[in-house]
Amino acid sequence: MMTERRVIDNRVFLLGLDDLYRSTMRRNESLELLRCAREVAWSLHVKPADVPVEGYYAEDARLTEYFRLVRALQGEPNSRVAAVEGLPAYQRLYAVTSSRLFGFPRNEDKLLPVGHDAFSEALQKLAPHWTIPTLTAAAEEAAGGMDDYSQDPVVLAALRESVVLYAETMFAGMSVQPPIFEWRVDAELADQANRFIHAFHALFPQGARLPAATAENAGAFSGGFNVKKIVGRCVRVGYDDTRNPVMHYHWGITQSREGLEVDEFWAPEIWTTERYRRDRAYHTPGEDARLPGLDGLHDQELKHGPPGTKRR
């Protein structure tokens, strides 16, 4: 009989918390929040946006509908608030999209705000010269004043893909004992996570509960070990609309012999997790993995973006 020891460090903990958040948030979005989005869109005669479906929203028809409705509502001007501000459905959507779970609410000139977090701050500060090392360092610097954690690019990419709608092994035949989980999460990070968890419970008081970030609950965050669920996540984190065509900057999560890594690339269209997993995720970051349909664009521009331009 063997007992496996598993270490819950900062990365595993945050990826595990993200896994718990995703499963709980999906239920909230596909039920309560979808009903709210339908009512508000119907009241304003707004149709679902014809846009690429990013993140986990492509995995379920109800989530896809919710994503496209919210994207459409996010594009409506603030002048339309008066028509729906008395609706509980709009008030609920506004409460969710302006929650500090996703950063400080921005774009108040729109019907629904988006969250501005430490990663958003880094993107804004460094535009358009974005690279994984410089963005990670700038996000870590900005995180101090935002009750945020931004030290690990893999965590940044994974969590960003989870909130994309709201943000600016066992051997066969072996008998084993249940694993022992060793808690090695920084105390400050655990405190930040517990504030996130408490805010999530306040926002969704009737939903499933997330476990507290404590050593006693270490095993609850073991989803962070599930590399299969993490590899291939892709999120557009910025864009440059001074170019023709508009260039979109992405971070995707890949796996090499060294472990999980982040792959950065520019493309003239938005890449979703579904497409990235199909066409690019299993190439090594930095190798010449051709992006389908981009043969006419210069390789240097695809990797590093157009020089001397400004992102809005």
Side-chain angles (χ1 to χ4, degrees):
M1 302 287 283
M2 295 177 57
T3 299
E4 181 184 4
R5 181 175 295 274
R6 295 188 175 187
V7 174
I8 306 292
D9 58 14
N10 290 349
R11 173 183 283 188
V12 171
F13 164 67
L14 285 171
L15 294 175
L17 177 59
D18 175 62
D19 183 59
L20 293 167
Y21 161 85
R22 287 165 76 97
S23 62
T24 305
M25 194 63 177
R26 285 167 61 108
R27 288 193 293 271
N28 293 322
E29 291 171 321
S30 63
L31 297 172
E32 178 203 6
L33 296 181
L34 176 57
R35 290 193 296 268
C36 293
R38 284 171 172 170
E39 181 177 347
V40 175
W42 182 86
S43 299
L44 295 174
H45 305 288
V46 171
K47 295 182 178 180
D50 184 14
V51 294
V53 180
E54 302 172 75
Y56 59 77
Y57 297 95
E59 299 173 6
D60 178 87
R62 295 173 66 87
L63 291 173
T64 295
E65 180 187 359
Y66 175 71
F67 180 92
R68 287 183 162 148
L69 284 173
V70 172
R71 274 286 186 255
L73 294 172
Q74 287 172 334
E76 292 294 306
N78 191 42
S79 59
R80 307 207 67 187
V81 169
V84 292
E85 61 183 346
L87 292 177
Y90 172 74
Q91 295 165 9
R92 183 61 173 145
L93 282 182
Y94 187 88
V96 171
T97 55
S98 62
S99 170
R100 284 294 309 277
L101 290 175
F102 312 114
F104 293 98
R106 291 285 180 91
N107 285 0
E108 293 291 356
D109 59 330
K110 298 293 185 180
L111 184 73
L112 293 175
V114 292
H116 184 88
D117 58 9
F119 197 30
S120 306
E121 188 71 19
L123 288 162
Q124 185 178 63
K125 178 181 177 181
L126 297 176
H129 305 291
W130 294 325
T131 67
I132 294 169
T134 58
L135 281 171
T136 303
E140 182 178 359
E141 181 181 351
M146 294 188 173
D147 199 21
D148 209 341
Y149 178 89
S150 301
Q151 298 176 12
D152 185 334
V154 170
V155 170
L156 277 173
L159 271 59
R160 191 66 164 201
E161 191 259 8
S162 289
V163 300
V164 65
L165 185 57
Y166 306 104
E168 241 180 353
T169 103
M170 185 182 295
F171 292 105
M174 288 192 68
S175 176
V176 298
Q177 296 280 11
I180 295 175
F181 296 101
E182 184 177 341
W183 184 258
R184 293 188 191 172
V185 177
D186 293 346
E188 183 180 356
L189 175 59
D191 289 340
Q192 291 175 325
N194 280 321
R195 288 192 287 273
F196 172 91
I197 291 166
H198 293 154
F200 186 86
H201 290 165
L203 196 59
F204 299 101
Q206 305 303 320
R209 313 296 284 178
L210 299 177
T214 62
E216 293 76 16
N217 291 332
F221 301 98
S222 60
F225 290 110
N226 193 339
V227 172
K228 277 188 175 182
K229 295 175 69 173
I230 298 164
V231 170
R233 292 192 193 178
C234 179
V235 59
R236 178 189 65 151
V237 298
Y239 65 94
D240 181 359
D241 60 3
T242 67
R243 302 288 295 179
N244 186 15
V246 174
M247 295 294 289
H248 301 276
Y249 180 64
H250 303 75
W251 278 18
I253 300 177
T254 66
Q255 185 179 23
S256 70
R257 287 185 294 271
E258 287 72 36
L260 295 176
E261 298 182 13
V262 175
D263 168 34
E264 60 182 340
F265 64 96
W266 293 79
E269 66 278 320
I270 298 173
W271 275 55
T272 63
T273 291
E274 181 182 30
R275 182 179 180 185
Y276 185 80
R277 282 180 168 156
R278 183 183 69 237
D279 294 339
R280 186 174 171 91
Y282 298 99
H283 292 279
T284 302
E287 76 177 32
D288 185 21
R290 301 300 296 177
L291 298 179
L294 306 189
D295 292 338
L297 293 170
H298 195 279
D299 290 342
Q300 192 70 8
E301 185 170 288
L302 285 177
K303 184 173 181 181
H304 299 294
T309 57
K310 185 176 182 182
R311 171 184 173 272
R312 295 181 181 178

